[in-house]
Amino acid sequence: MGAIERNGFRFVPEYSVSHQNGAIHVYNNKNRFIEEIKFEFSGDFPELDQIEDLVDQYCNKREI
């Protein structure tokens, strides 16, 4: 699962199958870390739709 680019921001998902949780690291256009979006999932890996929904919610909330 690779990074997602939106309006000059980069969202990099990372996850742990054994702990069933993950985070999306948010970077600005200067590659500076902004914040971390934590999430939980079930199964072997998070669904791409779940990651995209979290990114969409983040962008909408911050009007990105």
Side-chain angles (χ1 to χ4, degrees):
M1 197 172 296
I4 298 171
E5 303 277 340
R6 296 268 171 88
N7 298 320
F9 286 80
R10 189 166 46 96
F11 300 86
V12 182
E14 297 180 8
Y15 59 93
S16 167
V17 174
S18 61
H19 292 117
Q20 297 287 281
N21 63 18
I24 302 169
H25 297 145
V26 183
Y27 297 89
N28 68 9
N29 60 354
K30 295 181 171 133
N31 210 28
R32 183 174 152 217
F33 176 77
I34 302 297
E35 71 180 288
E36 180 178 80
I37 306 166
K38 294 182 180 184
F39 64 92
E40 295 180 356
F41 65 95
S42 60
D44 293 334
F45 54 88
E47 297 292 328
L48 182 56
D49 288 345
Q50 179 186 12
I51 302 294
E52 289 180 348
D53 286 345
L54 290 167
V55 170
D56 287 343
Q57 290 172 23
Y58 181 91
C59 290
N60 289 336
K61 184 175 181 182
R62 286 159 184 80
E63 298 180 353
I64 294 174

